[in-house]
Amino acid sequence: MSRQAPEGKNLVKRHGLVVLIEHWAIAISGLALILTGLFELPIARRYFITEIPGLRWSGDYIFSLWLHYAFSVVFVGASLFHVVYHGLMGHRAILPKRGDLRESWEVIKSFFGKGEEPPFAKYLPEQRLAYAGIALIIAGLIASGLVKTWKNLFAPDMDLTLVLWATWAHNLFFVLFVLAFVAHMAAILIKPNRPMIRAILTGWIRRDYAEHRHPLWIAELAGRNDHPAREQEAPTRERPPDGEAGGENPQGLS
Amino acid sequence: MKRDHEHGISRRAFLSGVATAAVSGAVGLPAKARAAGEGAFGTLVDLSLCDGCEGRDMPACVEACRTKNAGVVPEPVDPIPKPFPRGKIEDWSKKQGVTDRLTPYNYLFIQKAEVELGGAKKTVFIPRRCMHCDNPACATICPFSANHKYESGAVVIDQDICFGGAKCKEVCPWAIPERQSGVGIYLHILPTLAGNGVMFKCDLCQDLLLKGEDPVCITACPRKAMLIGPKEQILAEAERRAEAMNGYIYGKEENGGTSTLYVSPVPFELLDAAIEKGPGRPHLGKAPRKMAKTDPVAKAVMASPVIGLVAGLAAVAGARMKSGKEGDHE
Ligand code: HEM
Ligand code: HEM
Ligand code: SF4
Ligand code: SF4
């Protein structure tokens, strides 16, 4: 990933390589976990999923469990990396702030033509809220998943109450995870949000879009650096008091 | 005391063995421990003793089991909803009298094997039921944890939360659990779309174990062909008997180890070849633990939080070093 905006291009760097890798490691393994998790339920054969070319294995509980575990390694590893790395680096831009709930309601209304969008920092208030929500769901999936894994490996006669908690928590968070994913897809399909798709794929975002929609973020970049587009991986000299750091490897995108 | 009485039977069975003194302590844990469900049990089925209750209408153990479990399966709804899209219903409610295989109404049956051993014809009878495995996939990977292995070693299906998806049957090397459609919780949720009844099998008479009593099949046997006791002692007894009869053990290694040990004077390959097998009639052959294949990657899962943590720390250290070099930080 080049650090400099291609000459003459109208772009600002939004995400560093680390964040892109984290987002996609979690997204791809998460989707694979939904699929292999579904195949842990007795549905593949009943619903002829085993007849679909390439999905014959879906009826094999042991193999789909193997895959579920394999993707869990990526999912859990990336999630813990994310927390440790951004936690220690002090990246805070994506953590929810006071007032996000109210502000995000304004934003949603503006999507439907009611009122003006407020100026944004690096993330929309709903992105910060969505982040907190998905983080909670992921934490729940990981904690319950680890208990289930431990039981399968070492403790088949684990206390029934714990087993039931882990299983039903896992099932509940699975449903929430699917809902969160659907909401996430809906959110990025909303027209004003679409330019962010380029950001999550390449790291770069259109400068005119960012200046117009995320003026607080751009101002912050400018205040720190004459050429925000150029200094992405470089460490910030001083962190703004509210932690609204945006220039370098951002913040908490999972 | 009831327990002493029960154990009198087990003890007598042990006494019929050779090394009496060594095993007489094998009988039962203190009632308190049992009631608390502490300590795993093992059972022993001595095929040199079982004669299939020839001459009786029904083998005593089978009859006792059926009597105790009569009424466990509720009356199925009529008509039973047709599961979409396959429409496959398993209804045993009109065939409750079947005793020559496992069904939702019959958790124990006797297999018969006519074999030739050393030139002599020999008939062997084999009581068959759930093996109550040490690490039973049927229980650990139930998506609702409706099937559970207790500390007692009993593997028990909770009929109140089982959806009858039959995953347990699929992963059991002997396909033991049997489905009755038209009963259970699925009827109240999405009867045609999710679930298809409830799975039934032997529960090792868990309710009796908790009271300090023995399973009824064991107490009913007129020839004391079956025993129950602390797992290690049952294993020692099985090994002792196998050695004494120059025989064989089944259930010690199968599916990664089970709590049911068959002892036989005839090799199990011969028995396996001679018995009638098929739905509800389990084999006596090799039974590797299928889940073993997933153990290495499951261990990697347990290690993954540490991997992520260490990688995160390394990345932070890397970033700090870099910024230190560039000299414009901190
Ligand atoms: C299970 C899969 C996924 C998870 C858990 C996930 C998680 C997240 C999280 C937590 C954020 C930050 C908060 C937010 O913007 O809502 C985010 C941002 C984003 N994700 Fe995903 N994501 C997943 C899949 C995808 C997919 C398939 C796409 C497809 C293009 C995608 C595109 C985006 C975009 C465009 C952003 C905004 C980036 C920005 O602010 O610049 N995500 N994702
Ligand atoms: C996106 C994340 C995940 C989703 C959507 C998901 C979904 C599911 C579903 C639907 C099931 C089947 C129902 C059940 O057995 O409870 C399942 C089972 C399971 N999951 Fe996950 N899961 C996720 C993450 C994880 C993680 C991170 C772990 C390990 C740390 C894990 C370990 C397990 C285990 C051990 C089982 C039980 C398999 C079995 O023994 O039957 N899962 N998962
Ligand atoms: S014999 Fe089959 S049903 Fe019984 S505990 Fe073992 S795996 Fe489960
Ligand atoms: S232990 Fe109980 S349920 Fe199991 S076969 Fe014997 S009598 Fe039947």
Side-chain angles (χ1 to χ4, degrees):
Chain A
M1 188 118 330
S2 136
R3 283 188 206 174
Q4 301 214 339
E7 216 44 61
K9 288 259 174 77
N10 167 33
L11 295 172
V12 186
K13 179 95 170 223
R14 183 162 166 84
H15 302 304
L17 187 57
V18 175
V19 165
L20 295 186
I21 293 175
E22 284 174 12
H23 178 269
W24 288 108
I26 292 182
I28 293 169
S29 64
L31 293 175
L33 284 164
I34 294 178
L35 195 73
T36 52
L38 277 172
F39 295 156
E40 293 301 316
L41 303 166
I43 57 163
R45 198 139 346 131
R46 171 167 177 173
Y47 286 106
F48 296 103
I49 297 168
T50 48
E51 316 275 306
I52 301 170
L55 284 181
R56 271 182 66 145
W57 55 270
S58 62
D60 182 341
Y61 295 117
I62 307 290
F63 183 64
S64 44
L65 178 60
W66 193 95
L67 287 175
H68 199 72
Y69 281 146
F71 288 113
S72 293
V73 175
V74 177
F75 191 80
V76 177
S79 301
L80 267 108
F81 176 90
H82 169 85
V83 171
V84 171
Y85 181 72
H86 299 288
L88 291 180
M89 296 296 279
H91 301 152
R92 299 284 180 273
I94 206 167
L95 298 182
K97 290 207 296 275
R98 194 185 294 271
D100 275 356
L101 218 55
R102 191 170 21 83
E103 199 184 330
S104 75
W105 177 237
E106 302 294 321
V107 179
I108 290 171
K109 279 200 297 198
S110 77
F111 288 154
F112 294 96
K114 285 212 166 138
E116 283 282 299
E117 261 187 6
F120 295 132
K122 181 159 186 184
Y123 294 103
L124 275 61
E126 32 269 273
Q127 279 185 297
R128 294 191 291 263
L129 293 174
Y131 172 80
I134 195 76
L136 193 84
I137 295 170
I138 288 179
L141 281 164
I142 291 179
S144 56
L146 287 175
V147 172
K148 281 161 81 73
T149 306
W150 180 264
K151 169 209 61 177
N152 287 353
L153 267 175
F154 304 116
D157 58 356
M158 187 184 266
D159 179 65
L160 179 58
T161 315
L162 181 58
V163 174
L164 283 169
W165 268 100
T167 300
W168 287 98
H170 204 71
N171 295 352
L172 176 77
F173 284 119
F174 158 66
V175 174
L176 294 178
F177 189 78
V178 173
L179 293 178
F181 175 72
V182 171
H184 188 45
M185 292 301 98
I188 64 170
L189 284 179
I190 293 173
K191 197 142 187 209
N193 292 340
R194 272 183 225 164
M196 281 192 236
I197 297 177
R198 174 190 221 147
I200 205 68
L201 291 171
T202 67
W204 299 92
I205 198 159
R206 258 181 28 235
R207 174 175 284 279
D208 62 321
Y209 168 80
E211 280 170 353
H212 172 250
R213 206 167 182 229
H214 298 269
L216 304 180
W217 173 48
I218 295 296
E220 199 183 291
L221 290 180
R224 192 166 43 232
N225 197 311
D226 295 333
H227 286 288
R230 202 180 286 159
E231 284 293 327
Q232 293 315 311
E233 311 276 324
T236 36
R237 185 168 314 243
E238 55 210 279
R239 216 162 290 287
D242 65 341
E244 203 45 45
E248 56 172 333
N249 284 338
Q251 290 75 51
L253 242 212
S254 49
Chain B
M1 257 209 319
K2 201 189 273 153
R3 196 184 62 81
D4 284 335
H5 166 72
E6 295 294 334
H7 280 292
I9 289 162
S10 290
R11 186 172 289 121
R12 253 178 286 133
F14 271 114
L15 289 172
S16 71
V18 184
T20 324
V23 293
S24 53
V27 260
L29 300 162
K32 227 170 59 199
R34 273 198 150 190
E38 285 164 26
F41 288 98
T43 57
L44 189 162
V45 185
D46 190 334
L47 299 184
S48 72
L49 295 176
C50 178
D51 66 357
C53 285
E54 283 195 309
R56 279 172 175 255
D57 289 346
M58 202 189 288
C61 56
V62 177
E63 187 170 22
C65 179
R66 291 174 62 87
T67 307
K68 170 166 190 288
N69 289 302
V72 163
V73 187
E75 185 65 26
V77 292
D78 186 22
I80 294 175
K82 270 214 188 321
F84 176 83
R86 296 194 181 243
K88 188 179 151 218
I89 284 169
E90 290 189 85
D91 182 14
W92 285 89
S93 62
K94 315 261 175 337
K95 298 173 279 183
Q96 297 187 22
V98 172
T99 58
D100 63 348
R101 57 162 284 177
L102 300 174
T103 80
Y105 296 85
N106 197 67
Y107 313 144
L108 172 65
F109 79 109
I110 309 282
Q111 280 175 325
K112 190 171 169 181
E114 316 254 12
V115 293
E116 239 185 63
L117 192 66
K121 279 214 184 332
K122 201 168 163 53
T123 307
V124 180
F125 297 91
I126 311 137
R128 294 306 298 275
R129 55 156 167 78
C130 169
M131 304 284 284
H132 298 281
C133 304
D134 293 345
N135 191 343
C138 68
T140 52
I141 70 181
C142 172
F144 310 108
S145 293
N147 193 348
H148 185 67
K149 181 177 181 70
Y150 290 84
E151 267 183 86
S152 66
V155 180
V156 183
I157 299 172
D158 182 343
Q159 265 98 32
D160 292 336
I161 53 175
C162 172
F163 271 71
K167 183 181 181 186
C168 53
K169 181 178 182 121
E170 169 91 20
V171 297
C172 168
W174 300 279
I176 297 284
E178 290 282 338
R179 171 160 57 198
Q180 174 62 43
S181 300
V183 301
I185 191 171
Y186 87 111
L187 292 170
H188 307 290
I189 299 174
L190 293 169
T192 52
L193 292 179
N196 189 13
V198 171
M199 309 304 296
F200 294 93
K201 69 173 190 69
C202 161
D203 64 355
L204 201 60
C205 290
Q206 156 101 338
D207 54 335
L208 298 183
L209 291 183
L210 292 178
K211 283 194 271 175
E213 295 170 29
D214 289 341
V216 296
C217 56
I218 294 180
T219 32
C221 180
R223 294 187 46 88
K224 314 289 173 256
M226 296 189 248
L227 303 175
I228 185 163
K231 200 156 184 279
E232 322 78 67
Q233 294 178 31
I234 285 288
L235 174 61
E237 176 65 7
E239 279 170 345
R240 195 191 57 73
R241 289 194 190 194
E243 200 178 302
M245 68 175 83
N246 204 3
Y248 308 85
I249 296 179
Y250 188 78
K252 188 179 162 200
E253 313 286 345
E254 282 67 21
N255 201 19
T258 81
S259 66
T260 302
L261 300 174
Y262 288 92
V263 181
S264 161
V266 181
F268 284 94
E269 300 81 71
L270 286 187
L271 296 178
D272 184 47
I275 55 178
E276 195 184 326
K277 284 167 290 196
R281 299 195 175 93
H283 64 81
L284 275 169
K286 290 204 172 20
R289 186 176 153 259
K290 297 176 203 163
M291 285 261 291
K293 281 184 252 169
T294 68
D295 285 352
V297 61
K299 284 178 187 154
V301 172
M302 294 311 305
S304 60
V306 182
I307 299 171
L309 202 115
V310 171
L313 291 175
V316 172
R320 295 223 165 121
M321 253 161 69
K322 205 168 117 195
S323 65
K325 264 196 211 126
E326 286 172 16
D328 65 343
H329 197 46
E330 261 151 23

